[in-house]
Amino acid sequence: MKLLSRLKLKTRMILVLGLMALLQTGLLGAFAVQYLHQSLEEQIGERALHVAKTIAAVPQISEAVARGDTDALQPISMLLAKKTQARFVVIGDKNGIRLAHPNLEKVGLSMADDEGDDSALALKQGKGYISKDLGSLGWSMRGKAPVFANNDRDVIGVVSVGYHLDRVDEIISDYRLTLMVVIALSLLLSAIIAVWFANHFKKAIFGLEPEQIARLFDEQKATLESVREGIIAINNKGKITIFNRNAIKTLGLSEDTQLMGRSIEEVLPGSAMLEILKTGKPHFDYEVWLQNHSLIVNRIPLKQGDQISGVVSSFRRKDELDQVSKKLTRIQQYADGLRSQAHEYSNKLHTIAGLIQLDAKNEALAFIGQETQEHQELIRLLLEVVPDPVLAGFFLGKYNRARELGLRLVIDPESKMTELPEYLPREQLVSVLGNLIDNALEATLRHKGAGGMVKVSMTDLGNDLIFEIEDQGAGISLHQQQQIFEKGFSSKTEMGHGIGLHLVKGLLETLGGTIMLEKGEEEGSRFIVYLPKIRKG
């Protein structure tokens, strides 16, 4: 098998088809030869029996047998053998003693001496029969018939007519030669068909070998399972031919559900994939509602030449795409914040340069000292409160963003966040806090205007990390508090908080944390985030 697997597909097909043709032709030939051999022997046997019965019925023969007249029977048996082209005609009396035989030395001896047959069926039961025996004259098919007396009741002798089987062997040999020629022609024809079929087959499979197809199949399967989107493909009859686990998960089906071979109408009634089978027009980024979820769907027809052979559909829940979009938006916001910071420092540098040019050195030094003091105090506070560089850098960026908006971001000096666990992804923590702080800044700016303040406090005492973000916005009504974390809910005009709160809640659920909302000390809202220090589960 290993040797066979190393051969090319064309060579393998030639060998397989050739062996199949050889085996089939050989079996059929062997059967034909055996059947022919048996038929010829039966025909010769029937002829021998017919001749024996004819001779036994001759009155001259029966009278001579009754008299035991060997002299009369001997020449007659020789003549009859010649006329009927028999190998021999032997005549015996009622005791099975030969009265005529081609070999005169055998006359007067029992017919059973060299035949092993006492002719009992003919002598005792009066029946003719056929036998194949190795007698004194070689293998022969024999027909034996009883000789009756004139009353046609008493058996007085037996006639044995034999035909040699040499001719049968000659005929069979001729057929064997013909059979060998047929086998050779079959092998040649099989090789030609195998070459044609192999070329046609390899063209259909793009010239790939079976092992390459198997490897591509495994790679395709692994690729499908690694894709985050659900994927389903159907053939031109609407039967499912390909699917991955994410398709089953997205469609809300049981994990052990088997879709292969099922109709797409059975799994997804009213699926637009059947429409594409008819029109051949692809669908890109279609939004559909299924299983209480909004899905973004792409459907592409598969074609072989000009014929549509199937359709492939990929789909993913829209809220997952929204989460990715929100994360990208936050990255954009961080970039905008850095640009704002660079712009702010550029303006301050221009102010300092102008003061120096006006020879207002004291005012320039005072301006520099003020800016430096504020930043130094913030940096010193962050180094004490938040040793983690990612989180500290995040707060510094948000501080600069607040100043650009004309607001103040105040970090409670009593805060302490020195025990951030290793398991907690910093980028997810920054996403949560960044969303909340940005919403707080927007709400404060809209309601309070320039000079407004957003307070941030944090502590790592106890078993949880606790972050509090309090704004000076218009506040959130009790009814809105029950909806604010829902997907798609947005009411910035009234309360100043974005739809990213749904993303915040989703991230916190992933991290095992929770979020609470309550009224601020004076006005506005306070969001409190709880994150466990020890990973749950």
Side-chain angles (χ1 to χ4, degrees), residues 204-228:
I205 59 175
F206 306 102
L208 299 174
E209 295 293 326
E211 292 76 15
Q212 292 175 311
I213 295 175
R215 184 169 61 253
L216 287 175
F217 178 79
D218 291 337
E219 291 175 357
Q220 179 199 54
K221 185 176 180 181
T223 301
L224 285 175
E225 295 302 330
S226 66
V227 174
R228 294 289 299 274

Side-chain angles (χ1 to χ4, degrees), residues 213-258:
I213 295 175
R215 184 169 61 253
L216 287 175
F217 178 79
D218 291 337
E219 291 175 357
Q220 179 199 54
K221 185 176 180 181
T223 301
L224 285 175
E225 295 302 330
S226 66
V227 174
R228 294 289 299 274
E229 285 78 8
I231 295 177
I232 288 182
I234 61 174
N235 59 19
N236 57 1
K237 296 181 180 179
K239 301 292 184 180
I240 296 175
T241 57
I242 294 175
F243 67 96
N244 63 357
R245 293 290 106 186
N246 281 327
I248 292 178
K249 181 180 178 181
T250 304
L251 296 177
L253 302 175
S254 174
E255 291 186 1
D256 57 355
T257 301
Q258 288 298 325

Side-chain angles (χ1 to χ4, degrees), residues 375-389:
H375 276 81
Q376 287 298 324
E377 289 179 357
L378 177 63
I379 292 173
R380 184 167 53 252
L381 176 62
L382 290 177
L383 289 176
E384 294 176 358
V385 173
V386 190
D388 186 87

Side-chain angles (χ1 to χ4, degrees), residues 108-324:
L109 301 178
S110 173
M111 294 176 67
D113 288 349
D114 59 353
E115 298 176 4
D117 182 7
D118 58 3
S119 306
L121 194 60
L123 292 172
K124 296 181 180 180
Q125 301 182 29
K127 297 179 179 179
Y129 65 95
I130 300 171
S131 66
K132 180 181 178 181
D133 296 302
L134 179 61
S136 59
L137 299 177
W139 281 102
S140 61
M141 291 300 297
R142 303 178 181 188
K144 293 188 177 184
V147 179
F148 292 96
N150 291 334
N151 57 14
D152 291 334
R153 291 194 304 270
D154 299 328
V155 177
I156 60 174
V158 63
V159 176
S160 177
V161 177
Y163 286 88
H164 253 285
L165 297 179
D166 295 346
R167 180 56 182 161
V168 174
D169 293 335
E170 291 176 5
I171 295 173
I172 296 301
S173 297
D174 292 341
Y175 274 95
R176 284 197 184 98
L177 179 60
T178 303
L179 182 62
M180 294 301 294
V181 174
V182 172
I183 291 175
L185 292 176
S186 297
L187 287 175
L188 179 60
L189 180 61
S190 298
I192 295 173
I193 294 175
V195 171
W196 172 83
F197 183 73
N199 289 333
H200 177 75
F201 187 73
K202 290 204 71 175
K203 183 179 179 181
I205 59 175
F206 306 102
L208 299 174
E209 295 293 326
E211 292 76 15
Q212 292 175 311
I213 295 175
R215 184 169 61 253
L216 287 175
F217 178 79
D218 291 337
E219 291 175 357
Q220 179 199 54
K221 185 176 180 181
T223 301
L224 285 175
E225 295 302 330
S226 66
V227 174
R228 294 289 299 274
E229 285 78 8
I231 295 177
I232 288 182
I234 61 174
N235 59 19
N236 57 1
K237 296 181 180 179
K239 301 292 184 180
I240 296 175
T241 57
I242 294 175
F243 67 96
N244 63 357
R245 293 290 106 186
N246 281 327
I248 292 178
K249 181 180 178 181
T250 304
L251 296 177
L253 302 175
S254 174
E255 291 186 1
D256 57 355
T257 301
Q258 288 298 325
L259 301 181
M260 190 70 69
R262 294 175 62 182
S263 171
I264 190 66
E265 274 291 321
E266 179 185 350
V267 179
L268 294 173
S271 173
M273 296 177 74
L274 297 178
E275 175 188 344
I276 296 179
L277 278 178
K278 299 177 181 178
T279 64
K281 295 181 179 180
H283 294 170
F284 294 106
D285 298 329
Y286 271 51
E287 185 171 350
V288 299
W289 185 261
L290 182 67
Q291 299 290 340
N292 297 323
H293 293 292
S294 179
L295 303 181
I296 301 299
V297 181
N298 294 289
R299 307 181 185 99
I300 301 175
L302 298 175
K303 293 186 177 181
Q304 288 185 341
D306 296 332
Q307 299 295 323
I308 299 176
S309 60
V311 178
V312 175
S313 175
S314 65
F315 46 91
R316 190 169 182 178
R317 286 174 52 174
K318 188 174 183 296
D319 54 0
E320 293 181 1
L321 297 176
D322 287 342
Q323 290 181 10
V324 174

